[in-house]
Every structure is written in structure tokens, then in C-alpha cells.
Amino acid sequence: MTIVARGQEIIVKGSEKDLALFEERFLNLLNYFEKFGQLDAEAINQLMGLGDISLLKQKKPEAEIILYGNDGQAIRPRNQSQLKMVEAVAQNDLVFATGPAGTGKTYLAVAMAVRALKNKEVKRIILTRPAVEAGENLGFLPGDLNEKLAPYLQPLFDALRDMIPPEKLKQYQETGIVQIAPLAYMRGRTLDQAFVILDEAQNATTNQMKMFLTRMGRTAKFIVNGDISQIDLPRNQRSGLPEALRILEKVKGIGSIHFNEKDVVRHDLVRKILNAYARYDIS
């Protein structure tokens, strides 16, 4: 079979069987684009190379577009795993999302939290991370505790700034509608009428994880994000994330989504880098 692209036209030559197969797979590409609003190399390889149409069989969530960012761009699930995460959050009050960096777990979770706030489904958004140093020492950073922690919590701020106008976000922070704080600050609180996201959860200890999960009020949504391959805890401390996944595996009302390297939505090199590192033991 021969495929030639000329301007806005694609000319395909081949047997009747080959042409029928090409038409089927090309229509799959168009349907995928209509569903997710974008096409990446992985989707093209799947739908054209392997003919895997499992993405197209997924039931659409109630709102395919989660919300519009400050730049007017639609924020929506970008692959099958992200779509499953959106559906899991719609069906469960507690969802675990695990997998490598670059798969959009944090960004997607923040988008769903902002949507819930705008729709008045919750009264506040609470974003938290364990204050564990990933190779750097926070004590050497200038400023008071909040100033030291600000760069560490930057990924959460970045996502919020894409979705909430700056003045509105500042107002939300001043009034406590949006709160970003280290995990230790959650102790003793009851988090109700809130959308709560625990990011970098692989760096929460067993006790911290139990403490966090038991903060859930009657009308709260919890998302726990983490990458089990990137644990920064001291060797004598055990991560509470894989343990929680095992303990809560059969508890009804809890969703669990696992992302892998194929779900990376950053630069295509990120996927290749993750695959390369996976082949070597660098410990």
C-alpha cells in the first residue's frame, strides 16, 4: 500500500483489503481526536499501527471538557488513563492515582478540584504534599517556613494559576477557599465540604497516610497522587502509599488508577527517558 500526502489531500493506493483497513483506522484517528481534542504519537501508533480501538470504546464522562483555562483552552482528559481517572473521581469520594511523572495526575486533579469549586460542589480546595526533601535541603533556603516551602509547592501553584485568574486566586488564598500546605499541617483537622489533593504521596509515611485519609469529612472528595518509583524517604522509613493500596484494595467506594510510561503527556522525550531509566538500576 502507498500513501502520499499532497497539501490537504491524502492519496492511498493499494488492494481493496488494504484500503478498507486504512479507512477503518483513519476513521479511528478522527474519532479519537473528536473525543480527546488532540493526537499524539502514541495514539497514532496505537490506532494506525496496531489497530487498538479500546480508547474509542470508553464511555464518555458526563462532561468531556473539565473546564476552560485562563487562556481559553479546554482542559480535558488527554488519554485513556486520564479519562479513567475522571470517571473514577465522579464515582468515588477517594481515588488513588499512581504512576510516573509527566502523566498529568496533579494537573488533572487540580482541574477537577477547580471545577468542583466553580460548580459549588465544594466550598474549598486543599492541596497538600509531604515536606520531604528530594535531594535538596530546605533548611538552606532563605526566608521563613512559608517562604522555604513556597518553591516546593510550586507545581500546585502552577496548575492553579492556569485555571484561576491571578487576582481571584489571591483572594481565594487570603480567605482560605484555596489552601496549600505541608501534609503535617493536616493533623487534627476534619476536611469537610472540600476537594482535597495529596500530591507526592509516595513520600508520606504509614502514619502520615493513615492520618491524612482519616481527615475525610462527610462531604469531601480526596485524591491521592504518587509515584512509587520516586520515594525520597530515608531508608529506615516506609512509604505509606503502596501499603495503603494493599490495605484498601477491596474497600468499596475507593477508586484506583495506575498510569504508565505510555500515558506521559509532556515532551515525547520524557517517555523515552523513563523507559531508559527503567532498564538500569541506578540505586
Side-chain angles (χ1 to χ4, degrees):
M1 183 170 61
T2 304
I3 303 175
V4 179
R6 292 178 179 172
Q8 296 182 350
E9 294 184 347
I10 297 177
I11 301 172
V12 185
K13 298 179 180 180
S15 67
E16 186 175 341
K17 181 179 178 181
D18 287 341
L19 292 177
L21 181 61
F22 175 85
E23 181 181 13
E24 177 187 349
R25 292 182 174 179
F26 190 76
L27 287 175
N28 287 341
L29 282 180
L30 294 179
N31 291 336
Y32 180 93
F33 182 79
E34 289 179 1
K35 189 178 185 72
F36 294 101
Q38 56 96 38
L39 274 173
D40 56 23
E42 184 63 30
I44 294 172
N45 288 336
Q46 276 192 313
L47 297 170
M48 291 298 288
L50 303 177
D52 182 358
I53 60 171
S54 60
L55 292 177
L56 304 175
K57 295 179 181 178
Q58 292 293 317
K59 182 180 178 182
K60 286 188 179 181
E62 291 182 5
E64 182 181 336
I65 295 175
I66 299 172
L67 77 161
Y68 290 91
N70 291 335
D71 58 1
Q73 292 293 318
I75 298 173
R76 69 177 86 201
R78 296 180 61 183
N79 53 45
Q80 183 181 12
S81 295
Q82 288 196 359
L83 182 57
K84 287 181 177 179
M85 181 175 172
V86 172
E87 292 174 338
V89 171
Q91 297 165 6
N92 303 278
D93 287 336
L94 171 59
V95 172
F96 288 88
T98 58
T103 50
K105 302 183 299 297
T106 298
Y107 198 83
L108 194 63
V110 172
M112 287 187 281
V114 173
R115 179 178 67 178
L117 182 65
K118 288 185 175 182
N119 291 344
K120 301 187 185 304
E121 297 168 10
V122 297
K123 291 186 177 180
R124 53 186 172 158
I125 296 173
I126 299 173
L127 310 176
T128 184
R129 301 177 86 178
V132 174
E133 301 159 3
E136 296 86 11
N137 191 332
L138 294 176
F140 289 102
L141 294 174
D144 59 21
L145 179 60
N146 289 330
E147 290 171 328
K148 290 176 185 291
L149 289 169
Y152 183 76
L153 299 169
Q154 195 63 43
L156 300 173
F157 282 111
D158 289 343
L160 285 170
R161 285 172 181 147
D162 278 356
M163 304 170 200
I164 301 176
E167 288 302 316
K168 194 74 171 178
L169 179 56
K170 182 180 179 181
Q171 177 188 343
Y172 281 166
Q173 289 181 263
E174 290 173 350
T175 56
I177 293 175
V178 172
Q179 303 173 27
I180 305 179
L183 179 58
Y185 287 24
M186 298 299 107
R187 188 172 297 278
R189 301 181 64 182
T190 298
L191 306 178
D192 202 7
Q193 296 183 308
F195 201 115
V196 187
I197 301 169
L198 172 57
D199 202 35
E200 299 289 343
Q202 74 276 5
N203 290 328
T205 64
T206 297
N207 289 337
Q208 287 176 327
M209 180 63 71
K210 182 180 177 182
M211 176 273 291
F212 173 76
L213 295 176
T214 55
R215 299 306 93 200
M216 180 180 282
R218 290 183 178 273
T219 56
K221 283 275 189 183
F222 273 40
I223 297 181
V224 178
N225 289 333
D227 179 2
I228 296 174
S229 69
Q230 296 289 332
I231 297 173
D232 299 310
L233 290 168
R235 292 185 180 274
N236 62 342
Q237 290 187 336
R238 189 168 53 187
S239 171
L241 179 57
E243 194 171 52
L245 290 170
R246 289 193 299 270
I247 293 172
L248 304 176
E249 182 179 7
K250 296 182 180 180
V251 176
K252 291 183 179 180
I254 299 177
S256 182
I257 304 298
H258 181 69
F259 292 79
N260 58 43
E261 288 78 8
K262 292 182 179 179
D263 298 315
V264 170
V265 292
R266 291 179 185 166
H267 195 289
D268 189 54
L269 277 175
V270 175
R271 183 184 299 113
K272 295 177 181 178
I273 290 168
L274 289 170
N275 287 332
Y277 269 87
R279 291 193 293 268
Y280 293 91
D281 181 7
I282 61 171
S283 60

